[in-house]
Amino acid sequence: MKTIKGYIDEVSWESEETGYKILRVITDKGRETCVGTAREYGAGESVEMDGEYVEHSTYGEQFKFTAIRAVAPEGTVAVIRYLGSGAIKGLGEKMAARIVERFGEDTFRIIEEEPERLVEIKGISAKKAREITDQLVAKREQRSAMLYLQQFGITQALADKIYQKYGNGLYGIMKNNPYQLAEEIPAVGFKKADSIAQKAGIRADSEYRVQCGLQYYLQQFSVEGHCYCPEEILCEKTAEMLGVGAERVKEQLPALAIAQKITLKKGAEGSRVYMRSYYQAELYCAEQLLRLRDGFEAEAFRESDLEKVEAALGLTLDELQRRAVVTCMNSGVFLLSGGPGTGKTTTINAIIGCMEREGRSFALAAPTGRAAKRMKEATGYDAQTVHRLLEIGGDLDGEEGGKMFFGRNESEPLEADCVIVDEVSMVDIHLLKALLSAIPEGSQLILVGDVDQLPSVGPGQVLKDLLESKAFPTALLQRVYRQSDESHIVDYAHRINHGEKLDLSQKYADFFLLEKNTAEVISEYMIKLMGDVIPRKLGLSGEDIQVLTPMRKGALGVEGLNAVLQARLNPPDEEKLECSYGDITFREGDRVMQIKNDYELEWEIIGDHNIAVESGKGVFNGDVGTIREINNYLKLMKVAFDDGRSVYYEFQRLEELELAYAVTIHKSQGSEYPVVILPLLSGPRMLMTRNLLYTAVTRAKQCVILIGSGQTVQQMIDTDYIQRRYTSLRERICEKAVQTA
């Protein structure tokens, strides 16, 4: 058993579930890779570890520790950390370690007062010694600040950001309110600021801690799709998180409201607390939607005009569809909703035909690349993601702090008479705000979707709120045109949505259940279906088959299934290169999914002769593709996404990807696959619901295969549970409509 000391320079990878981490630790030997369970330890902390050196087949020597404990930073360790941080040009970690090994805690005095002695270190010339001394003297104040910040477990990189932001003012901040860091420095969140504050001796019930905790909980609450939080819930949960009294929490709300960080609003069920940006987003969207509704003027479009379009396009619309098209053509804002097979696409095509006849320009968009691709195939006209329509951009290092911005906005609006957006159930309040800001008054907005689908991943329930406001002309298509003898998928989807019992003893070519009662057997059948049966019988490739599951964890969750499916469907092969990030091995031919928005990632679409015909920035949460190439020398991995874009990922960016042989049903929103396989055995009640099953089934074009328990399927149909989302766009619209009436 060996013991090593050092400080954690970087956490390269970690498992939130187990606490297992890959750490880069600066020791007397230099920068070492250490692996083991270190749940409570992060970058910047000085530690002591017990373990053994082991040789990893891919990554070389690692220190595998079995015990880890925090220790006070030692003087020489702090000096090495500073000198090797890059603060002194020309000094790296190894050279810094040699200097400190030679001069110990007297290092800074030697460099500043006897710089000629640096030549005693191999690799340092007289000229380089003078350069080091000149830099160190010039950075004396910064050096003191860096060393001061290290005692709070702050990494060198973060310490540099803090110093650049506050200069010598950082001492007052660290003494009085370290939580200011969480509000003003993007790299610091509440948990990091709270850890720093504890080491700085800030009281647990400090007003700064409580205020920062309130904002943090509000932000976490929004991750679940909410735009506000009831005051009672917010105070109770924040108090529980912070370990303070609920009254102490409640009394800080007015101060945050006065500082314009939150908005307090009375509602029918009590007081509500909004993050200010969310309240403003809802208010802005309400105002802009009504502006578009009331500001549209055009020559009246009549049913006789539609008849000419029907004849020209060879369409036959029913009475509801005809009314929908005529109403739409005469409206500034129009909502079109309906389930699968109810004629939404036919109605959209009729609307587009009318737009062309009237000479109105239009733009087609959808929230995801797959949905935009489907829209293009269904209409025959170019369609793109809403982000690309709005000319997405990003600034990771500048004033925007990594937030997205759009080239199209109030100052540079879209140049289209009409914008048609499909799959609106996926649009959150922030994307709606960005879209509305780019549509000039006098233009039309047509929003299309299925209100019974799962709501957006982001905050809001836009389509539901708009429909319930009853403020805009609306068509709800309900008649199913694809009858059950043609499509059991459509028939069963509507039966599920209406809560009807399914006869799963019947096995149709496009919808059937394989009754299996263990996760192992279910996995084996999925492998047979995906690897042999479906490709052979339907002539499809692996990219046409998608496993959808309600959950991430467990044997039939995304993580467990992806490991099993990759091992069997795309096993190691001498002709396939691979690389690893954390506990995931990526291999050429793997299906992968982007799991976070990256506004700076560059993409291109390759045309004939391997020439890029289009390029841009931005890859988004939920985009799915296939690994086409891995270059271990250049540390690059090429992914071809399903919408035609190709992206090169640097290895350090692979944290943004995960395997996608199986994906959650939530992540499948807006997508459509030839074949969908649903493993359903058991799961958390809040996930095993009717609208989740409905969403999954409606993702399939040709075939749905249920593998597991028929009883579980029926229980999901019977569970008409939809988690409430706290949103108020409907109310804002109704309020504004009354004010402008």
Side-chain angles (χ1 to χ4, degrees):
M1 182 75 69
K2 294 181 174 62
T3 299
I4 64 173
K5 286 184 179 181
Y7 74 91
I8 302 171
D9 184 52
E10 177 189 2
V11 179
S12 296
W13 180 84
E14 64 179 299
S15 167
E16 292 185 5
E17 183 178 6
T18 65
Y20 183 87
K21 297 184 180 183
I22 300 175
L23 309 174
R24 310 298 183 193
V25 179
I26 305 300
T27 70
D28 291 340
K29 291 175 59 177
R31 198 167 191 255
E32 299 187 55
T33 299
C34 302
V35 298
T37 301
R39 188 181 295 278
E40 303 301 325
Y41 296 86
E45 298 208 52
S46 294
V47 294
E48 186 176 74
M49 294 175 283
D50 301 328
E52 299 288 348
Y53 285 99
V54 297
E55 190 71 22
H56 190 279
S57 58
T58 303
Y59 301 108
E61 186 180 70
Q62 298 178 338
F63 186 78
K64 188 173 184 179
F65 58 88
T66 54
I68 181 171
R69 50 197 169 272
V71 296
E74 297 181 356
T76 56
V77 171
V79 175
I80 294 173
R81 190 185 310 183
Y82 176 76
L83 291 177
S85 68
I88 305 299
K89 187 177 179 181
L91 273 188
E93 295 166 1
K94 292 183 179 179
M95 182 66 76
R98 290 207 297 269
I99 293 173
V100 175
E101 184 180 1
R102 176 72 178 83
F103 300 117
E105 295 187 10
D106 207 25
T107 296
F108 286 138
R109 189 195 66 77
I110 293 291
I111 294 175
E112 292 183 7
E113 299 177 11
E114 303 178 57
E116 67 278 0
R117 291 191 59 188
L118 288 176
V119 299
E120 298 174 19
I121 309 300
K122 184 179 179 181
I124 298 183
S125 64
K127 179 182 178 183
K128 187 170 185 177
R130 287 194 298 273
E131 291 174 350
I132 292 171
T133 296
D134 290 344
Q135 290 183 69
L136 197 65
V137 170
K139 292 176 178 287
R140 185 179 284 125
E141 285 189 353
Q142 182 178 0
R143 181 181 82 225
S144 297
M146 298 295 102
L147 296 175
Y148 169 77
L149 290 172
Q150 284 181 22
Q151 66 183 296
F152 303 107
I154 296 174
T155 65
Q156 198 72 36
L158 179 55
D160 185 60
K161 290 180 181 179
I162 294 172
Y163 184 79
Q164 295 303 321
K165 175 77 174 176
Y166 303 113
N168 288 332
L170 65 86
Y171 296 100
I173 290 171
M174 297 304 296
K175 180 180 179 182
N176 300 311
N177 181 20
Y179 295 96
Q180 188 174 336
L181 304 178
E183 297 182 20
E184 298 178 351
I185 297 180
V188 180
F190 169 75
K191 289 187 176 180
K192 182 63 179 176
D194 202 35
S195 173
I196 293 170
Q198 288 180 31
K199 293 173 182 175
I202 303 298
R203 294 191 345 264
D205 65 346
S206 158
E207 63 184 79
Y208 300 120
R209 181 171 188 256
V210 174
Q211 290 177 17
C212 193
L214 277 164
Q215 294 175 82
Y216 172 74
Y217 187 82
L218 267 181
Q219 181 65 55
Q220 295 303 109
F221 201 62
S222 74
V223 171
E224 298 177 16
H226 307 292
C227 289
Y228 70 86
C229 184
E231 182 182 297
E232 185 177 345
I233 293 176
L234 175 64
C235 292
E236 178 186 334
K237 295 298 184 181
T238 304
E240 184 180 313
M241 177 183 73
L242 299 178
V244 300
E247 283 303 313
R248 177 59 173 165
V249 173
K250 186 175 181 178
E251 68 187 25
Q252 296 304 318
L253 291 174
L256 285 172
I258 291 171
Q260 297 189 337
K261 293 175 180 177
I262 63 171
T263 297
L264 301 175
K265 188 81 174 175
K266 290 291 184 182
E269 301 174 358
S271 296
R272 301 169 175 178
V273 186
Y274 298 77
M275 290 180 64
R276 184 172 174 79
S277 63
Y278 286 38
Y279 179 79
Q280 290 177 325
E282 286 193 331
L283 189 61
Y284 179 88
C285 289
E287 292 170 345
Q288 296 307 305
L289 284 163
L290 293 170
R291 171 184 64 84
L292 290 174
R293 184 195 70 176
D294 300 336
F296 178 70
E297 295 180 4
E299 186 176 338
F301 186 87
R302 299 177 176 82
E303 194 162 326
S304 57
D305 299 318
L306 173 58
E307 290 172 358
K308 297 172 184 176
V309 174
E310 282 185 275
L313 297 178
L315 297 175
T316 302
L317 305 179
D318 69 14
E319 184 57 33
L320 181 55
Q321 289 174 316
R322 292 172 66 84
R323 286 203 310 270
V325 175
V326 173
T327 303
C328 174
M329 293 299 294
N330 292 310
S331 303
V333 176
F334 182 76
L335 310 177
L336 178 65
S337 183
T342 56
K344 292 197 300 295
T345 298
T346 300
T347 307
I348 292 172
N349 282 331
I351 292 169
I352 290 173
C354 294
M355 291 285 173
E356 288 196 309
R357 184 181 184 278
E358 295 286 295
R360 303 183 198 176
S361 61
F362 56 88
L364 308 181
T368 67
R370 266 187 174 267
K373 184 179 179 182
R374 284 174 51 206
M375 196 179 190
K376 180 177 180 179
E377 292 168 349
T379 64
Y381 292 88
D382 187 43
Q384 54 192 320
T385 64
V386 177
H387 290 87
R388 288 177 66 187
L389 176 70
L390 299 179
E391 299 178 9
I392 182 72
D395 182 4
L396 295 178
D397 300 313
E399 295 181 359
E400 294 298 319
K403 297 180 180 179
M404 62 181 172
F405 64 85
F406 296 99
R408 294 293 182 173
N409 47 45
E410 291 173 334
S411 302
E412 296 289 338
L414 293 166
E415 298 170 2
D417 297 321
C418 176
V419 177
I420 304 175
V421 183
D422 198 6
E423 296 285 359
V424 176
S425 62
M426 296 180 64
V427 173
D428 65 28
I429 192 67
H430 296 306
L431 189 57
L432 179 66
K433 178 185 176 185
L435 176 65
L436 291 171
S437 73
I439 301 178
E441 188 169 328
S443 292
Q444 292 175 273
L445 175 63
I446 301 171
L447 301 175
V448 184
D450 182 351
V451 74
D452 293 317
Q453 298 280 359
L454 292 170
S456 59
V457 174
Q461 48 185 5
V462 167
L463 183 58
K464 184 174 186 290
D465 280 352
L466 292 183
L467 290 170
E468 290 182 353
S469 75
K470 301 186 185 304
F472 309 100
T474 300
L476 299 176
L477 304 180
Q478 296 178 322
R479 178 180 173 185
V480 179
Y481 288 89
R482 287 179 275 173
Q483 299 300 320
S484 59
D485 59 342
E486 299 172 9
S487 172
H488 294 93
I489 297 173
V490 172
D491 182 34
Y492 277 31
H494 285 279
R495 288 173 181 266
I496 290 168
N497 200 30
H498 295 144
E500 298 176 13
K501 185 176 179 63
L502 300 185
D503 182 4
L504 295 173
S505 65
Q506 295 289 326
K507 287 183 168 53
Y508 299 104
D510 64 347
F511 198 110
F512 60 90
L513 166 72
L514 295 176
E515 186 81 36
K516 307 297 171 189
N517 56 17
T518 69
E520 293 76 13
V521 172
I522 290 173
S523 296
E524 284 301 316
Y525 268 83
M526 278 196 294
I527 290 164
K528 290 177 184 177
L529 288 166
M530 298 174 72
D532 175 47
V533 178
I534 295 174
R536 177 165 45 83
K537 289 192 173 183
L538 299 181
L540 299 173
S541 70
E543 296 177 11
D544 296 321
I545 308 166
Q546 185 62 61
V547 176
L548 302 181
T549 177
M551 62 209 101
R552 290 197 59 84
K553 305 296 183 182
L556 294 180
V558 164
E559 294 174 6
L561 286 175
N562 273 321
V564 171
L565 294 173
Q566 181 199 41
R568 298 289 292 276
L569 298 175
N570 191 31
D573 189 308
E574 290 183 0
E575 296 185 1
K576 292 183 178 181
L577 295 177
E578 59 183 53
C579 63
S580 295
Y581 190 89
D583 60 353
I584 300 178
T585 295
F586 295 104
R587 188 172 298 125
E588 290 176 340
D590 278 338
R591 295 286 286 164
V592 291
M593 173 182 280
Q594 179 82 9
I595 58 173
K596 62 184 289 188
N597 290 336
D598 188 327
Y599 309 115
E600 288 294 291
L601 203 52
E602 296 180 354
W603 55 262
E604 58 184 14
I605 296 176
I606 305 298
D608 296 337
H609 310 296
N610 203 33
I611 296 174
V613 296
E614 189 178 351
S615 62
K617 287 185 177 182
V619 181
F620 303 101
N621 189 357
D623 288 349
V624 176
T626 302
I627 299 173
R628 298 300 186 200
E629 178 186 338
I630 292 175
N631 189 319
N632 284 302
Y633 177 72
L634 297 177
K635 298 190 181 305
L636 291 174
M637 186 169 84
K638 180 182 179 181
V639 176
F641 285 97
D642 291 344
D643 60 1
R645 294 172 300 156
S646 291
V647 175
Y648 281 96
Y649 286 81
E650 297 174 345
F651 280 8
Q652 62 262 36
R653 250 183 165 127
L654 294 185
E655 65 178 3
E656 300 182 10
L657 293 171
E658 68 180 15
L659 295 174
Y661 295 95
V663 303
T664 62
I665 296 170
H666 279 89
K667 290 281 191 179
S668 73
Q669 288 176 267
S671 298
E672 193 173 64
Y673 315 94
V675 178
V676 164
I677 299 176
L678 291 169
L680 298 172
L681 197 58
S682 62
R685 178 181 175 274
M686 64 182 299
L687 290 178
M688 310 301 281
T689 62
R690 181 188 300 172
N691 72 328
L692 199 78
L693 180 61
Y694 172 75
T695 298
V697 168
T698 55
R699 299 306 90 202
K701 289 175 65 176
Q702 295 177 228
C703 184
V704 173
I705 303 172
L706 308 173
I707 311 181
S709 166
Q711 183 180 1
T712 297
V713 174
Q714 191 58 51
Q715 286 173 349
M716 292 180 74
I717 296 171
D718 294 339
T719 306
D720 189 20
Y721 167 76
I722 299 176
Q723 184 178 7
R724 176 178 178 180
R725 285 203 169 190
Y726 293 102
T727 68
S728 52
L729 177 59
R730 176 185 62 81
E731 295 169 50
R732 300 288 85 80
I733 291 170
C734 293
E735 288 172 358
K736 286 294 175 182
V738 170
Q739 293 172 11
T740 57

